[in-house]
Amino acid sequence: MSTDTGHDQSKSKTSAEPRDRYTVGSVARALTVLDTVAAAPDEGISVSEIARALGTSKSTAFSLVRTLVHRGFLREVLPGPRYHLGMALVRLGDQANRGFPLGRVCEPVLLQLSRDTGLTTRAAISDQGYPIFIARVDSPGAIRFHTALGVRELPHTSSAGKAILSQMSRGDLEALIAETGLPRRTRKTITTLADLELDLEATRRRGYAIDDEEDVEGIFCIAAHFVDRTGKVTGAVSATGIKLDQSSRQIEELGQAVQRAAEAVSALVSDSGRRGMML
Amino acid sequence: MSTDTGHDQSKSKTSAEPRDRYTVGSVARALTVLDTVAAAPDEGISVSEIARALGTSKSTAFSLVRTLVHRGFLREVLPGPRYHLGMALVRLGDQANRGFPLGRVCEPVLLQLSRDTGLTTRAAISDQGYPIFIARVDSPGAIRFHTALGVRELPHTSSAGKAILSQMSRGDLEALIAETGLPRRTRKTITTLADLELDLEATRRRGYAIDDEEDVEGIFCIAAHFVDRTGKVTGAVSATGIKLDQSSRQIEELGQAVQRAAEAVSALVSDSGRRGMML
DNA sequence: CGAGTTGTACGGCACTGCCGAACACAAGGG
DNA sequence: CCCTTGTGTTCGGCAGTGCCGTACAACTCG
C-alpha cells in the first residue's frame, strides 16, 4: 500500500542516508500511523501496537496519536484505549471526493444504473491503467461484500480494469503487465498474457468486460469504459453482484445497461469538459 | 523562548501556554495544511497561499506539502502548481466511515427512503447534541446543493439538530444553546430560545422536525430522531429537498416516511447492539 | 526592462521531536 | 499473595531535525 521508505526505520544512523528528499519525518510517521490504524481490525488498535508497527518507541507513537486525536483524525474508543479513524477523515474524504469532478458527474448515472439493475454500481478512474474506484452506489442487499474507494485495484482481476485494458495499445498493455504481473486471486483468475489478450479481444467485441469470479469467489462484475471528449479512456463504470443471482441471459442485458451508463458518463464528461479535467 | 522572533504565533506567551500538551508541532501543522486545502476554492491552492494561511515560511509549507503529496494526501494539479486533497484521503475517509457502524446500518434505510421520497436522505449522529452527518444518499436531481459529511452542524438550523434537541432535557438544551447561541443563517432562522422551545414542542407532538428554509434559503428538511436500545438518542434521519417542490400535504406524508425510517434505524441499531456502540 | 510575483533548493542554528527510564494500573500464574 | 508482563502515560534531556532565511529561476504585469 503506502509507498513508504520501508527500510529506513533505522533510527538515526548518520547522515549517510539522504532521507527521502526534503520531506518532514514526523509528518510522514504520522501519516503512517493513519495507514496503520486504517489497516487495523475492526476492534481498533492500541498505542503499543502502533509503536511496534512503526518501529518507534511507545512514547513517540503516543505523541503522534495524541496529536491526531486532538485534531479529530483518530478517535479514542474505550476501553483500552484503542483507536479508530476519526471524523476529520470522513470530512476530508468527502471533500476530497468532490475534488474529483468525475465522482460528481458519475453519481446520478450510477444511481440510475443501480436502480435499473439492483446491483452495486461503481465508477473508477484510470490511474496509468490501474482502476481506482472513486464513486459507489450500494445496492440494498449488498452488505455482504465490501468495496473500498480510493485504492488502486489490480487491472486484470477487475472488470473495470479489463474494460480499461481493452482499450490500450498492445505495447502499453505489455508494459503494464510486465510491471504488475498477473497474480492469482481465485482459481478463475486470468494468469497468462495470452488468455488476457483473448479476453480483452472478446471484451472489445461485445463492448463490455466481465469479471466472472476472477477477483473474489462468488462475485461477478460487468464494466464498460468511458472516454473524455478527446477520446482518451479516463475510467470505467461497473456493476457488481453475486454470481448465483444471475442467469446468462441477464448478463447480456446487464452488459448493455452498463454500456449505456458508460456512454452517458462519456457524454456528461464531454459536456463539463471545458472546465478542469479529471485527475 | 529565546529572543522574541515570534511575530505572529499566538503562543507568544513563552511558558504561560505550555503549547498544547504533548502534541507534535509539525504534525499539527501538516494537519492544518490539509484543513486549509480542504477550505480552498475548487481551483486549488498554491504553496504560498498555504504558507500565508499557516503563518509559516514558504519553505516550511513547501516541505509539508511535499510530504503530503508524496504520500497521496495531497495531489498536485498543474499548472501552478496548485494542490487538491488526494486519493489517500478518499481511501481513509471511506475506511473511517466504515468505522462508524451506524453508517453501515443506515445506508439501506436511507436508500429506501430516498427511493420512496425522491429526496436526498442523510443520517446524523448526535455529538453532544450537535448533529454530524455520516451517511448520505443523494437524490438524482440533487446536484444543486452540497451537503458535507463529517462536519458538526448547528443544532437549531438543521432539522436533524432539532429532532435531536427535541428529545433533550430542558437543562441540557439551555446549556447547549448558551454555548452555541442561535446564530442567524436566513431570515427564517429561529433566533430566540422561546421560539425554539415552541418549535421543539411542536416537533415532539408531530414526531418529526421541520427545517423550513432556516438554514439555507430555498431548502427544506424533515428529520426524525432515532435511539439505541437503551432509549438514548443517538442521531437522526433526514430528508432534504427544494422548498418549491413540496406541498403542505406532501410534507405530512414525508414526515411519516422519515419517522418510519428513523424507527427502522432504531430497530436495526438495537439488533446490532450487542457489539460496540456507535461513536 | 524592472518589480512584483511565483516555486524550488540549500545551509545553518536552536528548537523540538524522539528516546529511554519511570510511573500507575491491570491481568494472570505461580 | 507476590512477581511478572503486559498495558497507558509522564517527564527530562540529548541531538537530530525541522524551521527559517536566503538565493535563484521562471513567469507575469506595467
Side-chain angles (χ1 to χ4, degrees):
Chain A
M1 18 186 73
S2 56
T3 48
D4 196 44
T5 51
H7 49 278
D8 95 331
Q9 83 170 338
S10 59
K11 354 195 156 183
S12 50
K13 277 305 166 80
T14 51
S15 52
E17 189 68 42
R19 156 176 147 258
D20 256 281
R21 57 169 193 178
Y22 295 96
T23 64
V24 182
S26 61
V27 171
R29 264 185 293 272
L31 301 182
T32 304
V33 169
L34 292 179
D35 282 334
T36 304
V37 175
D42 277 3
E43 320 93 55
I45 187 172
S46 70
V47 172
S48 297
E49 290 167 316
I50 293 173
R52 274 193 294 274
L54 319 198
T56 68
S57 67
K58 256 193 311 178
S59 32
T60 299
F62 185 68
S63 294
L64 295 172
V65 166
R66 250 294 167 89
T67 309
L68 292 167
V69 168
H70 189 64
R71 299 297 232 81
F73 284 72
L74 291 181
R75 51 191 248 270
E76 224 169 35
V77 42
L78 302 165
R82 306 184 84 77
Y83 295 92
H84 285 182
L85 299 180
M87 226 40 182
L89 286 169
V90 175
R91 193 182 77 236
L92 292 179
D94 186 46
Q95 269 280 347
N97 232 325
R98 293 191 64 235
F100 295 86
L102 234 174
R104 279 180 284 176
V105 163
C106 289
E107 200 89 16
V109 175
L110 294 180
L111 201 58
Q112 188 59 47
L113 182 61
S114 175
R115 286 189 188 192
D116 293 346
T117 63
L119 300 180
T120 291
T121 55
R122 294 182 289 165
I125 59 177
S126 165
D127 178 23
Q128 304 165 50
Y130 296 83
I132 300 182
F133 289 99
I134 62 166
R136 173 187 62 205
V137 173
D138 279 321
S139 81
I143 327 179
R144 330 304 259 305
F145 52 97
H146 168 64
T147 61
L149 295 184
V151 300
R152 259 168 85 133
E153 304 279 350
L154 287 170
H156 72 292
T157 64
S158 60
S159 61
K162 293 201 293 184
I164 293 168
L165 293 184
S166 75
Q167 302 297 313
M168 288 176 66
S169 78
R170 179 99 175 208
D172 289 349
L173 174 65
E174 283 172 5
L176 182 62
I177 296 307
E179 181 180 277
T180 319
L182 296 166
R184 175 180 292 283
R185 299 291 301 274
T186 71
R187 64 198 159 76
K188 289 194 178 178
T189 301
I190 296 173
T191 55
T192 72
L193 187 55
D195 285 348
L196 180 59
E197 284 180 336
L198 232 54
D199 189 286
L200 295 181
E201 177 53 34
T203 297
R204 277 186 290 270
R205 246 196 340 264
R206 72 169 94 88
Y208 53 90
I210 298 178
D211 153 23
D212 182 18
E213 301 187 284
E214 295 160 35
D215 184 46
V216 178
E217 210 81 45
I219 301 295
F220 92 110
C221 301
I222 287 182
H225 71 278
F226 54 78
V227 298
D228 64 15
R229 74 183 182 294
T230 73
K232 191 161 86 61
V233 175
T234 49
V237 172
S238 82
T240 304
I242 297 175
K243 178 67 185 300
L244 295 175
D245 298 348
Q246 309 302 327
S247 76
S248 57
R249 199 172 54 80
Q250 284 175 321
I251 290 181
E252 173 90 13
E253 290 170 18
L254 276 176
Q256 285 169 12
V258 171
Q259 216 174 334
R260 280 195 301 273
E263 280 160 16
V265 170
S266 293
L268 288 169
V269 166
S270 296
D271 279 358
S272 68
R274 91 277 322 266
R275 302 186 22 177
M277 270 295 65
M278 327 292 147
L279 186 64
Chain B
M1 39 186 92
S2 76
T3 56
D4 55 340
T5 53
H7 8 283
D8 53 333
Q9 302 298 66
S10 52
K11 62 169 76 162
S12 48
K13 286 302 170 48
T14 314
S15 56
E17 186 68 44
R19 152 176 151 262
D20 261 282
R21 56 172 196 177
Y22 295 95
T23 64
V24 182
S26 60
V27 171
R29 264 185 292 271
L31 301 182
T32 304
V33 169
L34 292 179
D35 282 334
T36 303
V37 175
D42 277 4
E43 320 94 55
I45 187 172
S46 69
V47 172
S48 298
E49 291 168 316
I50 293 173
R52 273 192 295 274
L54 321 196
T56 68
S57 67
K58 255 194 314 177
S59 29
T60 299
F62 185 66
S63 294
L64 295 172
V65 166
R66 240 237 226 226
T67 309
L68 292 167
V69 168
H70 188 64
R71 297 297 231 82
F73 284 73
L74 291 182
R75 48 193 251 271
E76 226 168 40
V77 43
L78 301 166
R82 306 185 82 78
Y83 295 92
H84 285 181
L85 298 180
M87 224 38 176
L89 285 169
V90 174
R91 192 181 79 236
L92 292 179
D94 186 47
Q95 269 281 345
N97 230 325
R98 293 191 63 236
F100 294 87
L102 235 175
R104 278 179 284 176
V105 163
C106 289
E107 200 89 17
V109 175
L110 295 180
L111 201 58
Q112 188 59 47
L113 183 59
S114 175
R115 287 190 187 188
D116 293 347
T117 62
L119 301 179
T120 291
T121 55
R122 294 181 288 165
I125 58 176
S126 165
D127 179 23
Q128 302 164 52
Y130 297 82
I132 300 182
F133 289 100
I134 63 165
R136 174 186 62 207
V137 174
D138 279 320
S139 81
I143 327 180
R144 331 303 260 304
F145 53 96
H146 168 65
T147 61
L149 295 184
V151 301
R152 257 169 87 135
E153 305 280 350
L154 288 170
H156 72 293
T157 65
S158 61
S159 61
K162 294 201 291 184
I164 293 168
L165 292 184
S166 75
Q167 302 298 313
M168 288 176 68
S169 78
R170 179 102 175 205
D172 288 349
L173 174 65
E174 283 172 5
L176 183 60
I177 296 307
E179 181 179 276
T180 319
L182 295 167
R184 175 181 293 282
R185 300 293 301 273
T186 71
R187 64 196 159 78
K188 289 193 178 179
T189 301
I190 295 174
T191 55
T192 72
L193 186 55
D195 285 348
L196 181 59
E197 283 181 338
L198 232 55
D199 190 286
L200 295 182
E201 177 52 34
T203 297
R204 277 187 290 269
R205 246 195 341 262
R206 74 168 92 88
Y208 53 90
I210 298 178
D211 154 22
D212 181 18
E213 302 188 282
E214 294 159 36
D215 184 46
V216 179
E217 209 82 44
I219 300 295
F220 92 113
C221 301
I222 287 182
H225 71 278
F226 54 78
V227 298
D228 65 14
R229 74 183 183 294
T230 74
K232 191 160 85 62
V233 175
T234 50
V237 172
S238 83
T240 305
I242 297 176
K243 179 67 184 301
L244 295 175
D245 298 347
Q246 309 301 327
S247 77
S248 58
R249 200 172 54 80
Q250 283 175 321
I251 290 182
E252 174 90 11
E253 289 169 18
L254 277 176
Q256 285 169 13
V258 171
Q259 215 175 335
R260 279 194 301 273
E263 279 161 16
V265 171
S266 292
L268 289 170
V269 166
S270 296
D271 279 357
S272 67
R274 89 282 314 268
R275 299 185 25 175
M277 269 297 66
M278 329 288 147
L279 185 66

